[in-house]
Amino acid sequence: MEYQSNINSNSASTASNGIATTVATTRRNRPTTENPERPQQQPQTAKEVIAANVQNLIEQLEAGHSDALTAYLNAMSRFHNYSFGNILEIARQKPDATRVAGFWKWKEFGRSVKKGEKGIRILAPIVGIRRKKDEEVQASKDPAAINKPVLVGFRSAYVFDVSQTEGAEIPTMREISGDVGENRDRLIAFIERQGIELAFTERIAPALGMSYGGRIAILPGQSKAEEFSTLVHELAHEMLHKAERRTATTKTVRETEAEAIAFVIGKAVGLETGSASADYIQLYHGNASLLAESLEVIQQTSAVILAALQPSAAATMPDAELAKVA
């Protein structure tokens, strides 16, 4: 099995679509605005990136910095098209980031990265070509399948937050548009597509919502923002905690995960939310593997719900696909 890397050899510092690449070894560590000076030893795989960031989060929580978790959840609400590992990278390096894009992508928006700004390092996939052997070519009836694209690794890429740029005003880049009412309708439609029955009843009082496995009950009379958050919370339970995960987690963990997902979605649609559940260190006692698993579940579930809320005609930043598989 042979592979051919699909990287342009003349793009040692930058590449099209705002992706920073490092190909020539003699130039790999040259500090520039696009490719800032950085330590020699950096996580180079998605697994290493996740492990390093989760360990960093645990250390901050143990030191009493509970706002670190809120920063990670905020990043999930803003960058749900990115991979879990890259969301962690963005949140760690620039917790206040709101919109990120590559150096040349900002140029397309009429903006320039300010002199001296340091890029946010993420991982971008390296796609290679799997060349079939002669006998495989002869046996294949599909000429297009002769050379098959495959993921062969990752490379460092650099993005910049809008606050690090200057220039022309940019168009709205919210992944989700519209008021709470529109998002409420989309959320209810998504719930119905999942085959989940939705009922509004006062019988569940004083609870605001209940999840029964295939059925959600909501207490009527809540404000639009409260009702939306309650719907997301109970939907999270339906998606996560009615099968194997229910027996593998405690009630406290399940409630924390559901509340974190409601926080992420609420932030994404522009709701004013309270502080996120920041007691993970009490739930996991420094257990990195359990914390990583829970955070990834929160990110993946939030991404599914946010995709369902996406208006079909809404425009998204192309750079959001930069490192989706990292």
Side-chain angles (χ1 to χ4, degrees), residues 11-16 18-22 34-35 124 155-159 322:
S11 55
S13 295
T14 62
S16 61
I19 302 178
T21 59
T22 52
E34 171 73 0
N35 184 9
R155 57 182 171 78
S156 293
Y158 290 85
V159 294
L322 257 182

Side-chain angles (χ1 to χ4, degrees), residues 29-314:
N29 294 311
R30 179 179 298 178
T32 65
T33 304
E34 171 73 0
N35 184 9
E37 186 175 1
R38 60 195 187 279
Q40 294 295 318
Q41 298 298 325
Q42 295 244 18
Q44 294 300 319
T45 68
K47 185 176 181 180
E48 290 173 352
V49 163
I50 292 171
N53 278 286
V54 169
Q55 185 57 42
N56 177 70
L57 176 57
I58 286 177
E59 291 172 359
Q60 292 188 63
L61 291 173
E62 289 179 334
H65 304 307
S66 60
D67 56 337
L69 177 61
T70 304
Y72 278 62
L73 297 180
N74 277 328
M76 289 182 190
S77 73
R78 295 166 182 157
F79 309 113
H80 61 273
N81 283 336
Y82 280 83
S83 69
F84 176 53
N86 280 332
I87 288 174
L88 297 182
E89 280 288 86
I90 294 170
R92 177 182 62 81
Q93 297 172 67
K94 194 167 182 60
D96 59 346
T98 58
R99 295 290 182 269
V100 299
F103 184 89
W104 294 109
K105 182 55 61 179
W106 282 124
K107 288 286 189 181
E108 292 180 18
F109 279 95
R111 298 183 68 84
S112 300
V113 175
K114 298 174 185 177
K115 185 177 180 180
E117 291 289 349
K118 299 296 185 181
I120 304 167
R121 176 187 180 267
I122 61 174
L123 292 183
I126 300 174
V127 178
I129 301 297
R130 177 185 181 275
R131 298 192 177 281
K132 288 189 174 182
K133 298 178 181 179
D134 291 341
E135 55 270 24
E136 292 179 304
V137 173
Q138 295 175 359
S140 176
K141 297 181 181 180
D142 181 9
I146 293 177
N147 296 326
K148 181 180 179 182
V150 293
L151 177 67
V152 296
F154 298 96
R155 57 182 171 78
S156 293
Y158 290 85
V159 294
F160 298 84
D161 183 53
V162 62
S163 65
Q164 298 175 285
T165 68
E166 57 188 1
E169 291 296 319
I170 55 176
T172 178
M173 292 184 292
R174 288 188 62 83
E175 289 83 4
I176 300 174
S177 62
D179 58 22
V180 175
E182 294 176 4
N183 287 308
R184 176 186 183 276
D185 293 341
R186 297 184 191 118
L187 181 62
I188 290 177
F190 176 70
I191 291 172
E192 292 175 347
R193 289 198 300 272
Q194 308 313 302
I196 301 172
E197 178 187 352
L198 178 61
F200 292 83
T201 175
E202 296 182 353
R203 293 180 180 179
I204 64 172
L208 298 179
M210 296 290 291
S211 168
Y212 299 98
R215 181 174 179 269
I216 291 175
I218 299 295
L219 183 70
Q222 301 179 55
S223 69
K224 292 182 178 180
E226 289 173 336
E227 181 190 81
F228 182 85
S229 181
T230 303
L231 277 169
V232 175
H233 182 108
E234 301 307 330
L235 174 60
H237 280 311
E238 290 288 320
M239 296 174 68
L240 294 179
H241 304 137
K242 300 304 177 183
E244 293 83 0
R245 190 165 182 79
R246 180 175 182 82
T247 59
T249 54
T250 65
K251 185 177 188 300
T252 302
V253 169
R254 293 193 294 272
E255 288 300 321
T256 304
E257 288 177 346
E259 191 62 20
I261 291 169
F263 174 86
V264 170
I265 305 301
K267 293 289 288 187
V269 303
L271 296 182
E272 291 294 329
T273 60
S275 60
S277 299
D279 56 350
Y280 269 59
I281 195 61
Q282 298 175 8
L283 304 183
Y284 298 99
H285 304 287
N287 187 316
S289 61
L290 288 177
L291 178 58
E293 176 190 341
S294 193
L295 285 174
E296 187 163 13
V297 162
I298 292 167
Q299 184 266 323
Q300 292 176 346
T301 307
S302 298
V304 170
I305 297 174
L306 287 171
L309 298 181
Q310 183 85 29
S312 58

